[in-house]
Amino acid sequence: MIKVGIVGGTGYTGVELLRLLAQHPDAEVAVITSRSESGVRVADMYPNLRGHYDQLAFSVPDSASLGACDVVFFATPHGVAHALAGELLAAGTRVIDLSADFRLQDADEWARWYGQAHGAPDLLPQAVYGLPEVNREQIRSARLIAVPGCYPTATQLGFLPLLEAGLADPTRLIADCKSGVSGAGRAAKVGSLFCEAGESLMAYSVKGHRHLPEISQGLRRAVGGEVGLTFVPHLTPMIRGIHSTLYATVADRAVDLQALYEERYRDEPFVDVMPAGSHPETRSVRGANVCRIAVHRPQGGDLVVVLAVIDNLVKGASGQAVQNMNILFGLDERLGLSSPAMLP
Amino acid sequence: MIKVGIVGGTGYTGVELLRLLAQHPDAEVAVITSRSESGVRVADMYPNLRGHYDQLAFSVPDSASLGACDVVFFATPHGVAHALAGELLAAGTRVIDLSADFRLQDADEWARWYGQAHGAPDLLPQAVYGLPEVNREQIRSARLIAVPGCYPTATQLGFLPLLEAGLADPTRLIADCKSGVSGAGRAAKVGSLFCEAGESLMAYSVKGHRHLPEISQGLRRAVGGEVGLTFVPHLTPMIRGIHSTLYATVADRAVDLQALYEERYRDEPFVDVMPAGSHPETRSVRGANVCRIAVHRPQGGDLVVVLAVIDNLVKGASGQAVQNMNILFGLDERLGLSSPAMLP
Amino acid sequence: MIKVGIVGGTGYTGVELLRLLAQHPDAEVAVITSRSESGVRVADMYPNLRGHYDQLAFSVPDSASLGACDVVFFATPHGVAHALAGELLAAGTRVIDLSADFRLQDADEWARWYGQAHGAPDLLPQAVYGLPEVNREQIRSARLIAVPGCYPTATQLGFLPLLEAGLADPTRLIADCKSGVSGAGRAAKVGSLFCEAGESLMAYSVKGHRHLPEISQGLRRAVGGEVGLTFVPHLTPMIRGIHSTLYATVADRAVDLQALYEERYRDEPFVDVMPAGSHPETRSVRGANVCRIAVHRPQGGDLVVVLAVIDNLVKGASGQAVQNMNILFGLDERLGLSSPAMLP
Amino acid sequence: MIKVGIVGGTGYTGVELLRLLAQHPDAEVAVITSRSESGVRVADMYPNLRGHYDQLAFSVPDSASLGACDVVFFATPHGVAHALAGELLAAGTRVIDLSADFRLQDADEWARWYGQAHGAPDLLPQAVYGLPEVNREQIRSARLIAVPGCYPTATQLGFLPLLEAGLADPTRLIADCKSGVSGAGRAAKVGSLFCEAGESLMAYSVKGHRHLPEISQGLRRAVGGEVGLTFVPHLTPMIRGIHSTLYATVADRAVDLQALYEERYRDEPFVDVMPAGSHPETRSVRGANVCRIAVHRPQGGDLVVVLAVIDNLVKGASGQAVQNMNILFGLDERLGLSSPAMLP
């Protein structure tokens, strides 16, 4: 039984970790921390967990109790894992960070996008980017895993087959992405209110979003060179879900894109290439650790359109974190992650 | 392994049965029927099921293949189970009917509310009303189970402790109930359109709703006499969920209602009496086979207010059906039903 | 042209006042105040107002500029109008308060429910409760108007015909009310987030809500004596709308309730008694200053069910405030308020 | 007073015409037709219209009564206006068609996309495409107006300044468009159900949508040559609203795009170029006849991103139809269309 700690468990990725781990046969949450809710039982804060975790309460973060865990998940705002990860790693605890702290390999780039100095640049060399479809082998032996962001997961999985095969012009990539509101977290912000985000749709951060450098880094790895990516995120009136609509120029009109995608993901348990002509719905992955993808070439032109959907809280955060844990501990990658999506 | 058949699996209770049974260790769906979708794979119709049931396709209803199942669920409009249940029972197959066909013990009353003659009155004596919190023992040995309706489940579970204890005036009961739109099913009706049911709320069927006689029948059993119930259902802009707000007159102001409710449901795995002062949210049971209840006595008066929430597709339909199956086959009642609700 | 001031215009009742007054031929907004947004143009904060009010900006509250207005609306949290109304009244400016500050005639009762001393008890004798369907004559000559709350508007309009006619037992009244989320205002509270209030429904404040004494005060006036009211508000996943489902015991089963309601509201421009058997939808009043009502007697019993819907931001707040202004200034009561509701 | 007829008034564009015309000082609806609802009063079908149009009822389409109108709006599925427009035009009645029947100038292209022969190719030469921002002069003297589709309105208004100025590469245009569900109309289709379209998002018709040739036709006119457009529509969980996110390659990085857009639309009453850096929300135009646009050049590259929002039922249909009527009859273009959008 893997002894699990969670730092910062009061947000949506925290409660989602608890939901998923409640169904995991080989993991047990021993510690969950929150400064603001210390002493509160998780089932009192999240009534969906009543009947599960009835004894588990939030505690003040404490190195001793966290260091006694086999693995600690950080479900925190950026900056927190920087401060605590080193000590835990030194204690032999593995760290799976759901925040952005270790996603960018370049500390200076991180500092530019997050507006503060990187707090643990010395740990970067050992940080593994936790996208199993790319880095499964490195994950197996990792000590510190950076779980990819939600937009980056859907967008990379959608672009990778084209880029790895050298088929798309890497300088003209567009990702038009649509997210549910839970991507903004549980913080009490006016823009996330029901009456502000409901019955409306808007683009945001067109000038530049923090997930842009993360996606670009992953795409550069795939092409082995520079990429030109335009990334436009949109806020849409649903709770969960990301829909990435990806545009790439593929000059070779003869290539069988459907076969390419099916082949690339043939052995991936959590990537589903849908039949040709499909339009994946975000609800088809609601609550499930799956990315569903469809690839189109409208009117037979040179512009290829890829549609990729995930649940931002599952494959885009907590589910992918559990998937990483399973790989890390040599378990069946699907443990605790095999429930179908909930529809309707 | 229990061999399961499903008649009429294209609606929401059908796909929800499939979702729940995918997580059940001891049951396997062998047959699923639909006249209109015959030949279509369930995962093509419901993409959330891709990766599960990849070989299962809808077939035309057929007595031989259904009769070879250990149990057959009817997820059909009313009238269908009347026509088919007898033959299956004769073949030794157990029948769990999610429709209204066998819920009312009185065939004439059924005919008045459903506007057609009862099609199988001879089967009524052996039909067991599948509310485990009331009829668990009869369910164990049943051959034919009528799964309670969604409103009736929440409303009966909310009223029963008061009525069984003889505390409430049975002639002055009010159930003000709010349902999500999935209660209206997957039929293409104008009133269920996103642009008709969204961003709006309305009462309906105030004159008389078909669940009224079902609820009254259950409450009569609890009090051992007649009851006077006013039932007002409302359509609300959410997909899943029922919230029953119940009003009863309890003259004895000294009785400890919280203790009464906790005691009544102490051993029930799927009824959660929340702490005094709670306000259960429907989302706290989304996707889960749970009824959460809170009991209030505002301003210390003689009017008691009970709040009861369920997911209409789970404890109000398919989950309760699986719970009945578990009891019927002597399994742990919680098998396949232990996942927490999904929040947010 | 009436010169209008608005105090505290950054919330939903403020922007709704601006929307309605933009269509008013005889009123002009001269001043709008907000401490936090001072200097910001209203059209920059509320882009729906671009092309209207392009020069109007929030200013710090200032007695001189407000006192130069013919009328000042308070769209503020409780307590603010207490502090400022006296000075404005002394300057000859009329005050229309959308907050709760002057709704209760009894300062002690106000203090109990709002948890602080009443800040202007000396003004209470001149405060007129701005429900035109009850107090139209007093409103004509008022200096200080307390605009009714949202729940109280729908609930009183629904109950009044029964109570004024002495038909209902005043000791056994129930108001089961459902509100959209905008009733909670634009404050950044976790409970009002899209991911908290969406796809869910819950009762709240069952123990006692601040609108209870306001409703009771109005009903007492109608019956000329004490009333017993149980009021249960619910938060529902829509932006605008209140649906009051009202229960009253009417022993006389021969009375023609439909005629009673139609007669009571025959000359009211903003109360619509729907045909017998109707179920009003909240969307049928979205954006409009109308209360639609239907009256039912299910199964011919002694329990009468009244359904009353309003838009909480219009007839439940800003629209009713403008209606009061029209009466106060001797205008056609319907000026600026005649647009149909927006459906879908 | 303009005497107005409406053919096919039971859908969403029909009820929206009625809502807008109720506020129009110089127009009066004399006839409204529907075969299926003949004899039903419009206010009985659409309760938001109670108190307006209380005498107006649907009638069977009849050339005499329609031909007695000054103008007839067609709010019908495609094909209907083909059959009736000629006769009305011969009677001297002007025709404003909200359907697709006269939008494409090429009858063969129409036939290919709509799967049936064009029913009135002889009328095409006199049909004017009713986008006032392009064709205002022709509209003034038109007899037959084809009101643009919803996606085409937002997409053309967003692209036109770039294309008319010859700045963008016309062969590499992308329109990633998001629509509310009301765009699918009031027909009872499974895909438009609350439980199907709610809490989900999907692309559709990626292979080719009927609005593609209409948009292309408009863009060709702007550039005076061929264009290459990829158009991907998405269904999003809101009732009203279209958000077009447009991508164009603009090699000249020195051009002041903000000034270009402001200049192009300086005198347009219903196009609002927002300040640089803005992200228009669809709710900022809900119920209003406005298109709001923002233009971005992320990271200073050669890819320009234009954001354009409209209410699909107003500027994308019925509002634009009224705007055309105003121009046609020499009225102030803004009559009946000046109410601010409703927010929240």
Side-chain angles (χ1 to χ4, degrees), chain D residues 235-323:
Chain D
L235 184 68
T236 67
M238 58 187 183
I239 294 175
R240 290 167 177 247
I242 285 198
H243 187 293
S244 284
T245 311
L246 309 175
Y247 300 91
T249 306
V250 176
D252 178 355
R253 301 192 186 193
V255 64
D256 183 341
L257 296 172
Q258 183 68 23
L260 175 80
Y261 274 72
E262 291 181 358
E263 179 60 29
R264 172 61 177 86
Y265 293 124
R266 183 177 312 280
D267 298 324
E268 286 299 337
F270 294 120
V271 181
D272 174 28
V273 178
M274 300 187 72
S278 295
H279 299 97
E281 307 169 275
T282 61
R283 65 178 189 149
S284 76
V285 298
R286 185 165 48 211
N289 193 51
V290 181
C291 177
R292 297 198 203 278
I293 298 181
V295 56
H296 292 255
R297 193 193 276 274
Q299 278 95 43
D302 68 354
L303 202 78
V304 167
V305 179
V306 182
L307 313 173
V309 300
I310 60 169
D311 182 326
N312 54 302
L313 295 178
V314 192
K315 183 63 176 167
S318 304
Q320 189 147 261
V322 172
Q323 185 183 357

Side-chain angles (χ1 to χ4, degrees), chain D residues 209-227:
Chain D
H209 183 283
R210 286 168 172 172
H211 284 175
L212 174 59
E214 179 185 346
I215 302 170
S216 296
Q217 171 183 280
L219 301 186
R220 281 197 305 269
R221 194 176 333 196
V223 301
E226 285 306 306
V227 298

